[in-house]
Amino acid sequence: MNIQNQKIIAIVPVKPLNDGKSRLIDVLSERQRQALSLMLLNRVINCVKGVKDSIHLWIIGGDATVQALCAKHGVVCLNELGDDLNSTLYKGFQKAFEINADVAMYIPADLPMLETQDLTDLINSSEGLSRLVLCQAESDGGTNALLVPKDMMAFMPQLGDNSFLKHIQIAQVNSWRFSFCNVPGMTFDLDTPRDFDWCKQELPLFMRDLDQWTKVLKDSLSLSTLDALLSG
C-alpha cells in the first residue's frame, strides 16, 4: 500500500535511563541497564527510519543521553507530556492530530526483535489507515503497539495488564473498526530476568551488542564513540 501522501507520527515514550529496566536490578548493573535501554531504543529508531512509507518519529521523555542519541539520528525528542504512560501517550496522540497527522502510532522502546517489516505490517493491517490496530503483548495481556486513525482521536490508551482486552472493548463501545497485528517482533518486549535470559540464549548478537553499548556509557556517558553502533 502506498501511503506517501499520508502523515504518520510514531510515538515512543522513554524513561530516563536511570529509571529504566528496574526489574532487571538483580541481573544487571546500573550501567548495563542504562545501556540496554539505549540499545533497544536505538533498534526501534532504526526500524522506524527504515519504513518505506515515511513516518515522523517522536521520542517522548528520556534524559540528556536519550536526547543526544535522538540528535545523532535526527529525530524529534520531546519532554514528558503527562503524569504516567497513558496520559503521556494520549497527549502525544492529541498533539499529533493537532498538526494534522492522519494516524498516530505507539511503539514501545524495548522490543529486542523488532524489524522494519513489523511496522510495515502494522500499517498495512489498518486497511488504508482506516482501522484501529492492536498488537497484543506476549506476557501479560498488555498492548505492545497501537495505530490510531485521526477519526478515532478520542481513543484513550489503557496500557498495563490486560489492556489488550480493554482496548478491544473501547473499540466495540465506539463502533470503531479494528484489526490485530501480532507479529513476534512486536509481541515480545524485554522486561523481566526471564526475558533477558531468553534474549541471551536466542539472539546471537545480543550480549555482544550490550557489551559494546555498556562500554560507550562507561566513557563518562559520552556518545562521541557511538557512531559505529547507530546502525546496529
Side-chain angles (χ1 to χ4, degrees):
M1 178 185 65
N2 187 346
I3 55 171
Q4 290 182 349
N5 294 326
Q6 308 299 315
K7 189 171 187 178
I8 302 174
I9 295 180
I11 294 173
V12 180
V14 180
K15 293 180 179 179
L17 295 183
N18 286 339
D19 298 334
K21 298 301 157 202
S22 59
R23 297 169 72 180
L24 298 177
I25 192 170
D26 292 332
V27 295
L28 293 176
S29 69
E30 180 179 6
R31 184 165 288 132
Q32 285 175 317
R33 295 195 306 276
Q34 294 173 348
L36 178 61
S37 295
L38 205 63
M39 179 181 83
L40 295 175
L41 175 60
N42 187 68
R43 183 182 187 92
V44 171
I45 292 174
N46 279 325
C47 288
V48 172
K49 290 170 66 176
V51 176
K52 184 179 297 185
D53 298 305
S54 179
I55 298 179
H56 302 267
L57 177 60
W58 292 356
I59 306 300
I60 299 181
D63 54 24
T65 305
V66 169
Q67 291 170 3
L69 178 67
C70 291
K72 281 186 171 287
H73 275 289
V75 301
V76 174
C77 187
L78 303 176
N79 292 330
E80 191 70 64
L81 297 178
D83 298 327
D84 57 28
L85 177 58
N86 285 310
S87 63
T88 289
L89 193 55
Y90 177 75
K91 291 179 180 180
F93 284 170
Q94 297 307 304
K95 191 177 184 72
F97 294 134
E98 285 172 5
I99 62 170
N100 297 316
D102 296 286
V103 157
M105 296 166 55
Y106 157 64
I107 306 169
D110 57 355
L111 303 177
M113 296 196 300
L114 184 68
E115 301 288 348
T116 292
Q117 184 60 46
D118 299 328
L119 300 173
T120 300
D121 291 345
L122 181 69
I123 293 169
N124 289 341
S125 296
S126 69
E127 296 189 7
L129 308 183
S130 66
R131 290 175 175 261
L132 174 71
V133 184
L134 309 172
C135 173
Q136 185 174 14
E138 182 179 288
S139 60
D140 58 6
T143 307
N144 264 13
L146 290 163
L147 183 149
V148 183
K150 187 174 184 177
D151 60 3
M152 302 177 192
M153 63 187 300
F155 177 83
M156 177 69 73
Q158 302 290 325
L159 296 174
D161 290 351
N162 301 312
S163 66
F164 187 71
L165 289 178
K166 294 177 184 177
H167 290 145
I168 291 174
Q169 291 168 354
I170 290 172
Q172 291 172 333
V173 166
N174 289 278
S175 298
W176 291 335
R177 295 196 305 160
F178 61 93
S179 300
F180 303 134
C181 183
N182 294 324
V183 293
M186 288 193 294
T187 59
F188 178 77
D189 55 321
L190 201 173
D191 277 325
T192 68
R194 182 177 179 179
D195 298 335
F196 182 76
D197 287 341
W198 187 92
C199 289
K200 284 197 301 183
Q201 295 172 13
E202 301 297 332
L203 303 181
L205 301 180
F206 179 80
M207 288 306 298
R208 184 210 67 177
D209 291 347
L210 179 57
D211 288 344
Q212 291 177 338
W213 282 87
T214 302
K215 184 179 184 303
V216 168
L217 292 188
K218 186 177 180 180
D219 295 336
S220 301
L221 292 178
S222 170
L223 295 182
S224 60
T225 59
L226 189 57
D227 291 340
L229 297 176
L230 289 182
S231 61

